[in-house]
Amino acid sequence: MTTPKRRLPVMADVAKEAGVSHQTVSRVLNDHPNVRADTRARVEAAITRLGYRRNLVARALVTKRSRTLGVVSFDTKLYGPASTIYGIEQAARTAGYFISIVSLKSLDTASVREAIDYLAEQGVDGVVVVAPQRSAARALVKLPSGLPVVAVEGTHNADVSVVCIDQLEGAKLAVRHLLQLGHETVWHVRGPSDWLEAEGRLEGWRAALEEAGRPVPEPLAGDWSPHAGYEAGKSLAAMGGVTAVFTANDQMALGVLRALSEEGVRVPGRISVVGFDDIPESEFFSPPLTTVRQDFDVVGRHCIEVLLRQIDVGHTAYERLVIRPSFVVRSSTAPVR
Amino acid sequence: MTTPKRRLPVMADVAKEAGVSHQTVSRVLNDHPNVRADTRARVEAAITRLGYRRNLVARALVTKRSRTLGVVSFDTKLYGPASTIYGIEQAARTAGYFISIVSLKSLDTASVREAIDYLAEQGVDGVVVVAPQRSAARALVKLPSGLPVVAVEGTHNADVSVVCIDQLEGAKLAVRHLLQLGHETVWHVRGPSDWLEAEGRLEGWRAALEEAGRPVPEPLAGDWSPHAGYEAGKSLAAMGGVTAVFTANDQMALGVLRALSEEGVRVPGRISVVGFDDIPESEFFSPPLTTVRQDFDVVGRHCIEVLLRQIDVGHTAYERLVIRPSFVVRSSTAPVR
DNA sequence: CCGCAAGATGTGCTCGGTCATATGTCCCTC
DNA sequence: GAGGGACATATGACCGAGCACATCTTGCGG
């Protein structure tokens, strides 16, 4: 009971229709120069007449280039990964590549390896791994068969090219801003310990405090969620003596703001708060959040650049591209009273 | 100066290694029953010894099934689309399919058509179009060559299967909740007019008010952004007499809350606010937002279900799957004084 | 008017799998 | 011991493009 759908036209059909060989059709399709103008026109007419579309699968088989790039990511619902993937997709499409996405629930080494293998089997020309966790970064050490790979936020590991945002610098911007406002020191609500970004921000925070010769308080644990920020905010309010907090991301900062508000602690009157990411909502928090801005689109674009370079010129040296974050001052920070 | 990388092993290599024919290797790979146990073992040993991975491109060429689904979406940075795509990806991968994504900056008819064609050329087995705009829905009327397509939030158009959330019902939930709290009527900050979701929520709001015989105020314009909500909030504060607002999404609600806070209007003391979407941040807004919850994951899963059904059994009747939203009461709504 | 090079077009093979079919093997039954 | 059927394995064609090379045109200089 199969559908009587006539099969789609192939090159040979177009060739017959235009009265040329399939090779000439191929030349027309690939903008080969050596085709007479009227022949080209005839072929093009035949193509539109038949509604012919070239079969990229067949093409990929012989050229060994699928013009598809794989992306392995974690929780693509989050603003950061989603934005990065958006940037990747835009850049890839401009360069004539497709994007095949695998979104993992856990970034353990095995899952990442499996995902990469899976994509390799599908014939992707290269893979971008959005690997912000230590475990994911570990999965990239001994990779299979010369598949070009670029990591976003990978470790300093030299086994793969990396594009990342300078987390250390971002954190320092935040802390220095607060110190300049006269705060004696700055508390920190950190991200989960297996995340490289959390690590970098923590280090940057610590380094900036030490550079200024200030005491380094115990960081508060967090897991990026607003809820974790909320809990941390409650603790901070209870501590007393806290005047400035650097939160490892904006969502947690939101939780902190909420908790402080509930506890009747004015921001920035009593406590100044700085976030990280600059999600679109931050500008409208109560109060609008001073934060470190990461340009995820740029990260995505650079990934594709690096990856395509690796694909095109073969295995060059591994690159490491560090993007500087910027700082956005809004109303959640103020000079200490 | 080409790399001396020896080409990857193919079926023939495995066959030789195991001392069988390539066909037997194929049988082993596809779990064909008619293979003697020891032969199978020999082949499997050869596979691991050589590190063989099957070439899915070649397979796709002959089977005419790429086991790849295309997704066309608009602004995948937004929480809604990102979550939907996440759900789609999970469901697809579970079913053994890859996801190829095209993220558009504009959902005009031409772009959507082009994207679908692009994916069709790549040989996808089906396409999910996240088409929340009227223009995108229009692009789905006369589709090319029997390519299975499912739309998320498409129109009632019978030319394609649709999976959507009952926007009308969601809006009604919001309005009824507010009316039950004793509010005389409910203002509305609407989404952009070419968005079907905005349309649905507007209609639901209006219908619920009319059902209750209440006056229907002029809706305020918005574009989903917190900034638009902020502007609307300022207007609402200036109006006087407003006690309840239904905002078409949570981001705009955030802007409304911000504006009301700046104007010294207490929420929910003087004005109650309800949003739509239930983004992860909503719970920590000031105050925590009462909102309509959309389960995007479920939408994604249903899309794949419908799409795979269409792919497997051929062209059945177009389906229309409507998912009911739920309602989350938090602290941004209160009985009218 | 011929020769020759550059341009235009055609021929046949290849990519790496799967499918249909042929061939071979084994066991069981009459 | 012949015949039949089920199972195991091999053979060759084929999917639809691109590539290398062969062949046929054409234009131009000598």
Side-chain angles (χ1 to χ4, degrees):
Chain A
M1 212 58 53
T2 168
T3 349
K5 98 173 113 176
R6 51 144 183 53
R7 103 193 181 308
L8 280 81
V10 299
M11 231 177 202
D13 302 325
V14 177
K16 195 190 294 172
E17 177 81 12
V20 296
S21 76
H22 70 109
Q23 180 55 32
T24 301
V25 177
S26 173
R27 287 202 186 85
V28 171
L29 254 47
N30 296 314
D31 289 319
H32 206 86
N34 294 352
V35 179
R36 226 190 307 146
D38 64 320
T39 309
R40 180 179 303 263
R42 243 183 22 256
V43 171
E44 276 163 354
I47 287 177
T48 53
R49 207 170 323 130
L50 267 52
Y52 168 76
R53 317 235 71 206
R54 116 170 84 186
N55 183 331
L56 293 184
V57 173
R59 189 235 262 277
L61 179 59
V62 52
T63 58
K64 296 175 178 313
R65 294 284 292 277
S66 63
R67 298 199 76 83
T68 297
L69 302 177
V71 178
V72 179
S73 177
F74 172 77
D75 198 349
T76 50
K77 292 197 271 187
L78 295 173
Y79 179 73
S83 301
T84 307
I85 290 173
Y86 181 79
I88 289 173
E89 198 277 338
Q90 295 293 316
R93 193 144 49 86
T94 310
Y97 278 79
F98 288 92
I99 288 296
S100 203
I101 294 193
V102 176
S103 183
L104 296 174
K105 280 180 179 150
S106 150
L107 273 186
D108 59 285
T109 309
S111 303
V112 174
R113 277 305 252 284
E114 195 190 340
I116 295 178
D117 278 7
Y118 185 56
L119 288 166
E121 198 171 51
Q122 196 211 16
V124 296
D125 297 341
V127 175
V128 178
V129 182
V130 183
Q133 285 177 247
R134 198 174 295 290
S135 50
R138 256 202 304 277
L140 304 178
V141 282
K142 266 293 173 194
L143 278 169
S145 54
L147 182 71
V149 171
V150 171
V152 178
E153 294 297 344
T155 32
H156 314 270
N157 193 309
D159 234 34
V160 69
S161 289
V162 171
V163 174
C164 63
I165 287 174
D166 194 338
Q167 308 290 340
L168 216 82
E169 180 61 23
K172 287 182 178 177
L173 289 172
V175 173
R176 288 193 199 122
H177 166 77
L178 290 166
L179 296 184
Q180 267 165 25
L181 288 173
H183 296 276
E184 170 60 21
T185 188
V186 177
W187 267 253
H188 180 47
V189 182
R190 53 163 304 170
S193 55
D194 49 337
W195 284 66
L196 298 163
E197 289 154 337
E199 204 76 13
R201 291 170 200 177
L202 179 75
E203 287 314 313
W205 162 75
R206 193 194 309 279
L209 286 181
E210 285 171 353
E211 275 167 22
R214 303 303 173 84
V216 180
E218 191 64 25
L220 287 85
D223 63 0
W224 300 136
S225 75
H227 189 260
Y230 179 80
E231 298 293 340
K234 289 283 188 184
S235 307
L236 288 166
M239 272 182 209
V242 178
T243 67
V245 182
F246 165 50
T247 311
N249 77 338
D250 284 1
Q251 291 211 354
M252 290 200 294
L254 175 63
V256 169
L257 292 178
R258 176 76 206 130
L260 295 181
S261 153
E262 281 182 9
E263 297 299 320
V265 177
R266 277 168 301 101
V267 176
R270 279 241 312 116
I271 299 188
S272 287
V273 177
V274 176
F276 208 116
D277 280 355
D278 195 23
I279 62 175
E281 287 87 358
S282 304
E283 189 180 347
F284 296 91
F285 284 177
S286 297
L289 190 69
T290 294
T291 190
V292 180
R293 179 167 173 65
Q294 306 198 73
D295 199 333
F296 296 105
D297 286 22
V298 169
V299 172
R301 259 183 281 135
H302 280 302
C303 278
I304 295 302
E305 266 173 40
V306 172
L307 192 56
L308 291 185
R309 206 175 304 142
Q310 230 175 100
I311 291 171
D312 289 335
V313 312
H315 175 41
T316 44
Y318 297 115
E319 302 182 41
R320 181 173 179 80
L321 224 150
V322 179
I323 296 161
R324 290 179 61 88
S326 52
F327 196 67
V328 184
V329 179
R330 299 211 179 91
S331 322
S332 65
T333 51
V336 70
R337 287 181 313 158
Chain B
M1 209 60 51
T2 166
T3 350
K5 98 174 118 182
R6 49 148 187 48
R7 97 194 186 309
L8 281 80
V10 299
M11 232 177 205
D13 301 324
V14 177
K16 197 190 294 171
E17 177 82 9
V20 296
S21 78
H22 65 115
Q23 177 56 40
T24 302
V25 178
S26 174
R27 286 201 191 87
V28 170
L29 255 47
N30 295 315
D31 289 319
H32 208 85
N34 295 351
V35 181
R36 227 189 307 146
D38 64 319
T39 309
R40 181 180 302 264
R42 247 184 17 257
V43 170
E44 274 163 355
I47 288 177
T48 52
R49 208 172 320 135
L50 267 52
Y52 168 77
R53 318 232 69 206
R54 108 171 91 188
N55 183 330
L56 292 182
V57 173
R59 187 231 264 272
L61 178 59
V62 50
T63 59
K64 296 173 178 315
R65 294 283 292 277
S66 63
R67 298 200 75 84
T68 297
L69 302 177
V71 178
V72 179
S73 176
F74 172 75
D75 197 348
T76 50
K77 293 196 271 189
L78 295 174
Y79 179 74
S83 303
T84 307
I85 290 173
Y86 181 79
I88 289 174
E89 198 276 338
Q90 296 292 318
R93 194 144 49 84
T94 309
Y97 279 79
F98 287 91
I99 287 296
S100 203
I101 293 193
V102 176
S103 180
L104 297 173
K105 283 182 177 145
S106 150
L107 274 184
D108 58 284
T109 308
S111 303
V112 174
R113 277 305 252 283
E114 196 189 338
I116 294 177
D117 278 8
Y118 186 55
L119 288 166
E121 199 170 53
Q122 197 211 14
V124 296
D125 297 341
V127 175
V128 178
V129 182
V130 183
Q133 285 178 247
R134 198 174 295 289
S135 49
R138 255 202 306 276
L140 304 178
V141 283
K142 264 293 174 196
L143 278 170
S145 52
L147 182 70
V149 172
V150 170
V152 179
E153 294 297 345
T155 32
H156 314 271
N157 191 309
D159 234 30
V160 70
S161 289
V162 171
V163 174
C164 63
I165 288 174
D166 194 337
Q167 306 292 339
L168 216 81
E169 181 61 22
K172 286 183 179 175
L173 288 173
V175 173
R176 287 192 200 123
H177 166 77
L178 289 166
L179 295 184
Q180 265 164 26
L181 288 173
H183 296 275
E184 170 61 22
T185 188
V186 176
W187 267 255
H188 181 49
V189 182
R190 53 164 302 171
S193 54
D194 48 339
W195 285 66
L196 297 163
E197 289 154 339
E199 204 77 13
R201 293 168 200 179
L202 179 75
E203 287 314 314
W205 161 76
R206 192 193 310 278
L209 286 180
E210 284 171 354
E211 277 166 20
R214 304 302 172 84
V216 179
E218 190 64 25
L220 286 86
D223 62 2
W224 300 135
S225 76
H227 189 261
Y230 181 80
E231 299 292 340
K234 289 283 188 185
S235 306
L236 289 166
M239 271 182 205
V242 178
T243 69
V245 181
F246 165 50
T247 311
N249 76 339
D250 285 0
Q251 292 212 351
M252 289 200 295
L254 176 63
V256 168
L257 292 178
R258 176 78 208 132
L260 295 181
S261 153
E262 279 182 13
E263 296 299 321
V265 177
R266 276 171 299 104
V267 175
R270 277 240 313 114
I271 298 189
S272 287
V273 177
V274 176
F276 208 116
D277 279 355
D278 195 23
I279 62 176
E281 287 85 359
S282 305
E283 190 181 348
F284 297 90
F285 285 178
S286 296
L289 189 68
T290 293
T291 190
V292 180
R293 176 165 175 67
Q294 307 199 72
D295 199 333
F296 296 106
D297 287 21
V298 169
V299 173
R301 258 181 283 138
H302 280 303
C303 279
I304 296 302
E305 264 173 42
V306 172
L307 191 55
L308 291 186
R309 205 176 303 145
Q310 230 175 98
I311 290 172
D312 290 335
V313 311
H315 174 42
T316 44
Y318 297 113
E319 303 182 38
R320 181 173 180 82
L321 222 150
V322 179
I323 296 162
R324 289 180 63 89
S326 52
F327 196 66
V328 182
V329 178
R330 300 210 180 90
S331 322
S332 64
T333 49
V336 71
R337 288 180 313 160

